[in-house]
Amino acid sequence: MENVKKLWLASAEAGPVDEQLATWLQNRCLHALKFFTFHASTPSAVVSNLLESSFFSCATAQGFPIMSSVGVKEAANVRIPDPTFSFLTELPVLPDPISSGAHAMIDALRTRGLIKEIMFSDVLEQLRARPLTESELAACIRWWIKLWGSGSIVQANLPQVRSQLLEATLLSIGVGTPNERIIPLAQIRTFVNMPAMGSILPLDAPFPNHTLPVEVSKSFNPIDLSSSFGWQQLNVVEWIRHVASLSNESKDPEYDLAISPIWAERVINALARAWPSTSKANQTEIATILKDKACIPTRSGLRRPEEAYFPNAHVFPDLPVVNLPKGTVVKGNVEKVLEALGVRKHVDLQIVFNRCVNI
């Protein structure tokens, strides 16, 4: 096994171990395991039992080397494979040929506690070692939801265990792109409820940092996410507050209310879709958030709501009348949203008088 280990490490220095070499080395390991597998002796079973006990007493003292998915490791550091933990890609586990080809030896190792199942401490160690991709995080969440509902953890310990999991987990978004970023799972507190909000909010736009990426959350039942992680559904008020903050930061003109009329129109349309199910208190809060934002597309550019007018208020040709760039008709819920935000339906008489005096 020491020779197998040296050959594996020498090959790994140049990159991933060649598949043919890996198979050959696994077969050498398999041969050694089979050779030292003890079978029942006759006429007395004592002989085999004594030999096996002596062999494993040496293994306990010296360590038991065995082939894993990442080369030869001490058996104490290798785990029994479990497809549930597919997100732990760097955890040393037994390769399938070893598990199936030397099952008698593997059973003996498990019986003596020399090789173990994957433990929660393994999960934490692996999660702290590297960020997960979106698909890996989805697998991790799936595992935790199942664990949470199984009752296999003492109920009193669940919140503490969950905190450890959240603090250890990092998500990597946009790997290999200029927009790559790392999201600590501990900062997540909301998610998009796809059945309720998926058709309302623009899913291709940025969401708050505290919102679980839609690519991850879309595969899960909202009830599971809430109960297993304590996260809340993202509401329209929180989303609008985030949209308004993007305007302040001006990091991406495409999603800046003060720069992009097309984005402003998309936000207005999203509000129109959400408006019937939005409480009066939340409608008022949304209007307050957008009150001082130049977020209304008009034929005179983007204006604050109180500076804009409905199309029927066309008293003067230079009046900043609402003009949505994609041609959205100002009626129905769109009209209700604009009115609630403070867009004017009529021109103030004082403005008319001042204009007439100037003329």
Side-chain angles (χ1 to χ4, degrees):
M1 291 305 298
E2 186 64 27
N3 290 334
V4 171
K5 182 177 182 179
K6 288 178 180 178
L7 289 170
W8 182 285
L9 292 176
S11 177
E13 288 180 359
V17 177
D18 178 74
E19 186 176 344
Q20 278 189 319
L21 177 62
T23 301
W24 181 68
L25 294 175
Q26 283 180 5
N27 288 335
R28 287 191 61 179
C29 174
L30 188 56
H31 173 75
L33 290 173
K34 286 181 175 180
F35 187 83
F36 284 97
T37 297
F38 293 86
H39 303 278
S41 58
T42 57
S44 173
V46 174
V47 176
S48 176
N49 291 339
L50 287 174
L51 287 170
E52 185 176 16
S53 296
S54 298
F55 174 75
F56 278 110
S57 66
C58 294
T60 303
Q62 302 296 326
F64 194 99
I66 195 169
M67 177 64 76
S68 77
S69 55
V70 293
V72 176
K73 299 286 183 181
E74 294 294 333
N77 299 323
V78 179
R79 300 291 179 256
I80 303 299
D82 185 340
T84 304
F85 296 94
S86 60
F87 55 95
L88 304 180
T89 57
E90 296 182 5
L91 180 68
V93 296
L94 284 175
D96 288 338
I98 302 295
S99 298
S100 58
H103 59 87
M105 173 60 86
I106 301 305
D107 288 344
L109 289 170
R110 294 177 70 174
T111 300
R112 287 168 169 78
L114 294 176
I115 192 167
K116 298 180 175 66
E117 305 282 347
I118 297 174
M119 300 176 290
F120 186 66
S121 57
D122 298 322
V123 175
L124 293 181
E125 181 180 352
Q126 289 292 308
L127 292 178
R128 288 170 180 146
R130 67 176 184 89
L132 300 180
T133 63
E134 291 176 352
S135 60
E136 289 171 342
L137 178 60
C140 179
I141 290 176
R142 200 171 292 113
W143 159 73
W144 177 254
I145 289 174
K146 183 178 180 181
L147 185 67
W148 181 275
S150 68
S152 57
I153 300 178
V154 179
Q155 203 70 24
N157 294 336
L158 277 175
Q160 180 183 355
V161 174
R162 182 173 65 189
S163 295
Q164 291 178 318
L165 177 70
L166 293 175
E167 289 169 3
T169 308
L170 298 174
L171 170 64
S172 181
I173 295 288
V175 179
T177 69
N179 297 324
E180 182 175 355
R181 61 193 177 99
I182 302 296
I183 302 175
L185 207 62
Q187 79 177 23
I188 299 298
R189 56 182 177 82
T190 61
F191 64 91
V192 177
N193 181 341
M194 291 300 291
M197 303 295 287
S199 60
I200 292 177
L201 303 181
L203 301 181
D204 59 327
F207 280 93
N209 290 333
H210 57 71
T211 301
L212 187 68
V214 174
E215 287 302 313
V216 177
S217 62
K218 68 181 182 181
S219 306
F220 296 97
N221 185 315
I223 296 176
D224 289 336
L225 292 177
S226 294
S227 61
S228 301
F229 289 93
W231 296 331
Q232 302 299 317
Q233 299 176 20
L234 180 72
N235 60 47
V236 178
V237 173
E238 289 177 304
W239 180 71
I240 281 294
R241 190 175 288 113
H242 172 66
V243 167
S245 72
L246 291 178
S247 180
N248 292 334
E249 296 169 2
S250 297
K251 291 181 178 179
D252 190 345
E254 183 181 356
Y255 299 107
D256 190 329
L257 281 176
I259 296 176
S260 174
I262 293 177
W263 172 237
E265 181 180 11
R266 292 184 69 190
V267 171
I268 291 170
N269 282 329
L271 287 175
R273 291 190 291 269
W275 213 246
S277 58
T278 303
S279 68
K280 292 294 183 182
N282 285 345
Q283 289 178 1
T284 302
E285 189 171 353
I286 290 169
T288 302
I289 293 170
L290 297 179
K291 179 181 178 182
D292 296 321
K293 299 291 181 183
C295 61
I296 308 298
T298 74
R299 62 188 181 188
S300 302
L302 286 161
R303 295 296 184 90
R304 290 186 294 115
E306 65 176 13
E307 297 173 339
Y309 293 86
F310 279 93
N312 59 352
H314 54 280
V315 179
F316 304 107
D318 61 342
L319 204 65
V321 171
V322 173
N323 182 31
L324 302 178
K326 291 289 186 178
T328 299
V329 180
V330 182
K331 65 178 184 179
N333 287 330
V334 172
E335 183 177 4
K336 291 178 182 178
V337 168
L338 293 176
E339 185 175 5
L341 294 182
V343 175
R344 298 173 182 271
K345 282 196 168 185
H346 307 286
V347 180
D348 189 90
L349 290 176
Q350 185 63 46
I351 295 176
V352 175
F353 177 76
N354 292 340
R355 289 289 191 98
C356 291
V357 169
N358 292 334
I359 292 172

